[in-house]
Amino acid sequence: MINVGIVGGTGYTGVELLRILAQHPKAKLKVITSRQEAGTGVDDLFSSLRGQITLKFSDPLKVDFGKCDVVFFATPNGIAMQQVSALLGSGIKVIDLSADFRIKDVAEWEEWYGMSHTAPELVAEAVYGLPEVNREKIRNARLIANPGCYPTAVQLGFIPLIEAGAVDENHLIADTKSGVSGAGRKAEIHTLYAEASDNFKSYAVAGHRHLPEIRQGLSERSGKPIDLTFVPHLTPMIRGIHATLYARLTRDVDLQALYESRYANEPFVDVLPAGSHPETRSVRGSNFCRIAVHRPRNGDTAVILSVTDNLVKGAAGQAVQNMNIMYGLPEKMGIQHIPLLP
Ligand SMILES: NC(=O)C1=CN([C@@H]2O[C@H](COP(=O)(O)OP(=O)(O)OC[C@H]3O[C@@H](n4cnc5c(N)ncnc54)[C@H](OP(=O)(O)O)[C@@H]3O)[C@@H](O)[C@H]2O)C=CC1
Ligand SMILES: CC(=O)N[C@@H](CCC(=O)OP(=O)(O)O)C(=O)O
């Protein structure tokens, strides 16, 4: 069994980790923290977990992770980096769902995240937890930087085109939509029901912190710098990411064949039949990324549609996928949930 700790067990990604790991055949939850709910029974706060988890939330400042093999951080940016060094030093592996270790250029990270990095020496070692790209590195990693929700959907959508060198890589466009749970389980005006339930809006058009993460990942696939315009939107739904990606083709390519070939052996990337329009509800609660490719009027613009559940493939499910790989388990173990329909 893998003894697991979760820091931040009451947030949306933390609760998704609880949902998944409570039924994971090889995971044993040992520590779950929450400052606000310390001492409360997990299943008292989340009745859907009744009969699944008997632990109480621990105070993160008083907890001993010594009995854990791996600790997941489902905490705001800037928290994991304060604790990872000590955990690694104790032989405990870390899977960080925050952005603390995703961007290799520490100065760039500090600029976008507005804080000084307290563990810069670990950034180089951290493995970016996108299995479709880094599976072999993930196998032997001590520290995983789990990708963000938008970067997961956008990179999986663009990667086959970038690897094939088939597009103008300096004028990529990512038009992305997220459910409100992407903002986290905290009281903010813009995520209140009265504000978000009957509204649709773009935000951070001038620059979103996922831009450097996506640029880093796609530039690595290309072997040279790429650039893209990334525009996120907040949609009146709870969970889901829908990315509409645009790229100008620089040579003729059979998009359907390219994507089917690239993702043929990927357990969680589903390339839909030609002409499809993937819906976020088709991945709700599951670890799948469903992709459809289009070339309107057979012109020189590729339109790629990519959908994920921001809390699963965009966060907790991908984190457990990475854990499975790190521990030599079947990659789909514990994350084979079929989406809830309709
Ligand atoms: N929501 C999403 O779709 C995605 C989120 N992420 C990232 O994952 C991380 C978690 O996101 P999300 O679950 O939405 O966040 P939430 O705001 O929903 O939850 C945050 C959790 O962290 C705990 N926490 C807050 N501050 C501290 C602290 N100083 N020390 C220890 N624990 C703390 C909170 O509990 P308490 O305050 O009681 O301790 C809570 O359990 C973030 O970095 C986010 O950017 C990544 C991909 C997708
Ligand atoms: C709707 C919404 O607010 N989404 C969040 C995405 C949060 C996320 O993915 O977290 P990381 O920054 O750790 O990747 C945002 O746009 O900031």
Side-chain angles (χ1 to χ4, degrees):
M1 294 297 273
I2 304 167
N3 295 311
V4 174
I6 297 173
V7 182
T10 55
Y12 288 139
T13 59
V15 178
E16 278 297 276
L17 283 169
L18 293 176
R19 174 177 74 92
I20 294 168
L21 293 169
Q23 294 189 324
H24 190 291
K26 294 294 184 182
K28 174 77 175 159
L29 285 162
K30 304 294 279 189
V31 174
I32 306 164
T33 82
S34 164
R35 298 164 308 162
Q36 296 170 48
E37 301 295 342
T40 302
V42 173
D43 60 353
D44 290 332
L45 189 63
F46 301 111
S47 54
S48 55
L49 293 168
R50 284 177 60 80
Q52 300 290 332
I53 297 178
T54 56
L55 289 172
K56 294 184 186 300
F57 290 106
S58 302
D59 183 331
L61 298 177
K62 299 173 183 169
V63 74
D64 173 13
F65 290 105
K67 43 184 174 268
C68 297
D69 299 307
V70 59
V71 172
F72 293 83
F73 279 85
T75 47
N77 299 315
I79 304 303
M81 66 180 182
Q82 300 172 39
Q83 302 177 45
V84 166
S85 181
L87 291 170
L88 295 178
S90 303
I92 298 168
K93 297 183 179 181
V94 174
I95 300 174
D96 177 19
L97 279 70
S98 83
D100 290 6
F101 296 96
R102 295 182 199 154
I103 295 176
K104 296 302 180 184
D105 182 333
V106 174
E108 185 174 35
W109 184 89
E110 292 180 336
E111 178 192 348
W112 281 94
Y113 284 84
M115 63 183 94
S116 298
H117 204 294
T118 58
E121 73 285 354
L122 289 173
V123 172
E125 174 185 346
V127 174
Y128 191 66
L130 192 65
E132 292 78 12
V133 168
N134 284 333
R135 183 168 283 108
E136 292 314 310
K137 292 179 182 175
I138 293 166
R139 258 188 241 290
N140 304 307
R142 298 191 302 166
L143 171 57
I144 298 290
N146 218 59
C149 52
Y150 288 125
T152 296
V154 171
Q155 291 178 90
L156 290 176
F158 271 133
I159 280 170
L161 282 173
I162 299 296
E163 290 179 345
V167 294
D168 174 354
E169 299 176 340
N170 289 303
H171 295 90
L172 304 173
I173 296 173
D175 182 281
T176 58
K177 286 71 78 177
S178 172
V180 176
S181 64
R185 186 171 179 256
K186 46 189 176 261
E188 291 182 348
I189 295 285
H190 75 291
T191 59
L192 294 174
Y193 182 78
E195 305 289 323
S197 65
D198 187 20
N199 191 36
F200 179 89
K201 67 176 185 179
S202 57
Y203 64 99
V205 177
H208 185 284
R209 62 192 185 195
H210 285 166
L211 184 61
E213 180 180 339
I214 297 168
R215 269 198 306 228
Q216 172 183 273
L218 294 181
S219 296
E220 190 181 284
R221 302 321 298 159
S222 166
K224 56 185 179 298
I226 68 98
D227 202 0
L228 84 156
T229 299
F230 169 60
V231 181
H233 299 72
L234 187 67
T235 66
M237 59 186 184
I238 294 173
R239 57 171 72 205
I241 295 283
H242 183 290
T244 305
L245 310 174
Y246 302 88
R248 188 176 63 79
L249 292 164
T250 53
R251 62 180 176 82
D252 192 28
V253 63
D254 180 338
L255 292 176
Q256 189 70 24
L258 176 69
Y259 276 72
E260 287 179 357
S261 168
R262 176 58 174 84
Y263 291 130
N265 300 314
E266 287 302 338
F268 292 113
V269 182
D270 176 20
V271 179
L272 299 180
S276 298
H277 296 83
E279 301 178 7
T280 56
R281 64 180 176 165
S282 75
V283 293
R284 184 189 296 138
S286 84
N287 199 50
F288 285 102
C289 173
R290 298 199 201 279
I291 291 173
V293 300
H294 294 260
R295 194 172 170 180
R297 301 180 308 287
N298 205 33
D300 68 354
T301 300
V303 179
I304 312 298
L305 309 175
S306 173
V307 297
T308 60
D309 182 318
N310 55 293
L311 297 176
V312 192
K313 183 59 176 170
Q318 183 144 257
V320 174
Q321 186 179 355
N322 286 319
M323 181 192 79
N324 288 342
I325 296 169
M326 292 163 83
Y327 286 88
L329 300 172
E331 196 163 327
K332 297 179 75 169
M333 183 176 279
I335 44 178
Q336 301 180 80
H337 309 83
I338 294 172
L340 302 174
L341 292 176

